[in-house]
Amino acid sequence: MISNRRCFITGIKGTSLNKKEVYFLKKYKPWGVILFSRNIKNIDQCKILTESIKKIFNDKKYPILIDEEGGRVSRLDNIINTSMFSAEYFGNLYKQNYKKFNLYYKIYIKQISYLLNSIGVNINTVPMLDVRRDNSSKIIGNRSFGKNSRIVSKIGNFSIEHFHKHGILTMIKHIPGHGLAKVDSHKLTPIVENKLKQLNKIDFFPFKNKKSLLAMTAHILYKNLDRKYPATLSRKIIKLIRNTIKFKGILVTDDISMKGLKYKLPENIKKALEAGCNLILHCNANYKEMLIVAKNSPKVNGFIIKKTSQLYKFLS
């Protein structure tokens, strides 16, 4: 039952569940599990892995996530080489030849969706809607569709529509916009000093009116909007995401163990949930950290249950 689950998503260590992880999943019942390259050797192996996870929950629609952007962020690299198909590649194609873009991107999404369905994954953490700037951190780079916020928004709509068409749910990121970050939030807290008017016009724009059921927050401090807390921990920014950007779905933190968040794990979790995030994402499969995340994550509330039911309805 959905109502028994806790409001976090966890990573796992290898290509099959170890005894500790089986115990962990049964006892703490995370909302979902996210896979990385370390978990995927081939299609058959990964299908057995995802089936073993779903069997624990007796749930064929149990949320299994992946971060499969293509380009340099690919978790399917043991199965297929998608290194040339970066967001930048499709962004440039959109501007140069829309007919080609339309054909190529449809085929790309169809094939990726086929692979994800084959290995038992039902949620992909795309599209990345961060607008690239001249001084953006390299962590963004060719992961962005480009510098034009309207084009980024349109490609985002295209991506969401076609992944949905092929049975894969999406998670837009990094809301409300990571493009102005000059440092990597895996290591440091990016600080953005731009005013709300410019942010609304450019960085926040691609996230508006998106039909994705999930979104991932940015570990970025928008100094003019909240001088103390980065978006993931900020009530002010989460309120803006809900009221100005008008995202109504499930809000998931970016990885809660990243150095962009300054507090210890329990405090980061507490502040993120109090700010208005719905689910905590923890990726590194460090068992000691997994226990901390699980023990500090409450059971899912009515909002998450309602939205998860919508997600399940989509997957039927």
Side-chain angles (χ1 to χ4, degrees):
M1 287 176 63
I2 299 167
S3 57
N4 287 334
R5 294 176 198 167
R6 291 180 182 264
C7 56
F8 73 101
I9 297 164
T10 191
I12 54 174
K13 197 169 186 178
T15 53
S16 61
L17 293 174
N18 61 41
K19 286 182 181 178
K20 276 186 178 179
E21 289 168 340
V22 171
Y23 167 81
F24 179 87
L25 295 179
K26 285 180 177 178
K27 181 174 175 62
Y28 295 107
K29 298 179 173 59
W31 182 88
V33 170
I34 186 165
L35 302 183
F36 291 89
S37 298
R38 65 179 183 261
N39 308 120
I40 302 168
K41 188 167 60 176
N42 56 54
I43 291 173
D44 290 340
Q45 164 271 322
C46 194
K47 189 175 182 183
I48 291 168
L49 171 62
T50 56
E51 284 177 351
S52 70
I53 294 168
K54 291 171 183 177
K55 191 175 179 181
I56 287 172
F57 295 94
N58 192 27
D59 183 356
K60 291 180 180 179
K61 297 177 187 177
Y62 181 78
I64 308 278
L65 300 85
I66 198 167
D67 189 11
E68 180 54 42
E69 295 178 13
R72 59 192 164 96
V73 179
S74 174
R75 315 307 182 186
L76 299 174
D77 43 7
N78 287 329
I79 297 173
I80 189 173
N81 181 0
T82 60
S83 57
M84 73 169 282
F85 298 114
S86 65
E88 182 180 59
Y89 170 84
F90 288 112
N92 287 338
L93 198 58
Y94 183 98
K95 290 185 289 184
Q96 293 159 8
N97 187 328
Y98 181 77
K99 281 188 178 178
K100 253 188 184 179
F101 161 83
N102 191 295
L103 175 64
Y104 287 16
Y105 203 30
K106 276 182 183 176
I107 292 170
Y108 170 80
I109 291 173
K110 183 178 180 181
Q111 295 308 313
I112 294 299
S113 299
Y114 174 79
L115 278 174
L116 297 184
N117 281 309
S118 297
I119 62 174
V121 168
N122 46 32
I123 301 172
N124 193 8
T125 64
V126 297
M128 196 181 90
L129 301 178
D130 304 316
V131 180
R132 190 167 70 251
R133 302 298 190 89
D134 291 332
N135 56 356
S136 289
S137 164
K138 289 179 183 177
I139 197 66
I140 300 300
N142 67 358
R143 295 171 66 198
S144 169
F145 291 117
K147 296 180 179 179
N148 184 313
S149 59
R150 293 189 178 276
I151 289 176
V152 172
S153 179
K154 286 177 181 177
I155 297 176
N157 287 334
F158 190 101
S159 174
I160 293 163
E161 178 189 345
H162 287 277
F163 272 112
H164 282 186
K165 183 179 175 183
H166 296 292
I168 299 296
L169 285 158
T170 57
M171 185 187 294
I172 56 176
K173 62 187 184 188
H174 304 85
I175 200 167
H178 206 296
L180 281 165
K182 295 176 185 176
V183 296
D184 180 357
S185 57
H186 289 85
K187 300 171 183 176
L188 298 163
T189 307
I191 297 172
V192 169
E193 298 189 0
N194 298 54
K195 299 282 175 65
L196 179 59
K197 187 176 179 181
Q198 188 189 30
L199 291 167
N200 259 328
K201 187 178 178 182
I202 300 173
D203 299 84
F204 298 173
F205 180 82
F207 293 93
K208 294 178 180 178
N209 303 311
K210 289 292 171 281
K211 293 181 179 178
S212 182
L213 289 176
L214 303 106
M216 182 188 293
T217 61
H219 295 338
I220 292 182
L221 186 73
Y222 301 90
K223 208 169 182 181
N224 276 295
L225 306 181
D226 189 329
R227 300 188 71 82
K228 187 175 182 181
Y229 294 120
T232 301
L233 310 182
S234 169
R235 292 183 189 212
K236 293 176 184 176
I237 305 297
I238 301 301
K239 189 177 179 182
L240 179 146
I241 289 168
R242 295 301 194 189
N243 296 339
T244 303
I245 294 174
K246 298 190 183 302
F247 180 73
K248 304 300 181 189
I250 296 173
L251 265 182
V252 184
T253 71
D254 201 346
D255 189 350
I256 203 73
S257 67
M258 285 163 60
K259 304 301 181 189
L261 302 180
K262 295 296 186 186
Y263 303 95
K264 290 184 178 179
L265 269 179
E267 193 72 6
N268 282 335
I269 294 163
K270 184 183 178 200
K271 288 183 182 297
L273 294 172
E274 286 178 350
C277 290
N278 305 120
L279 297 174
I280 303 296
L281 176 66
H282 182 259
C283 299
N284 65 24
N286 177 307
Y287 194 71
K288 284 184 180 178
E289 288 190 13
M290 287 164 66
L291 287 172
I292 293 170
V293 173
K295 289 173 182 178
N296 284 276
S297 298
K299 284 190 176 179
V300 294
N301 59 25
F303 174 84
I304 300 170
I305 292 168
K306 180 182 176 183
K307 293 297 177 180
T308 306
S309 297
Q310 290 176 8
L311 180 152
Y312 275 43
K313 191 175 180 181
F314 172 87
L315 293 172
S316 60

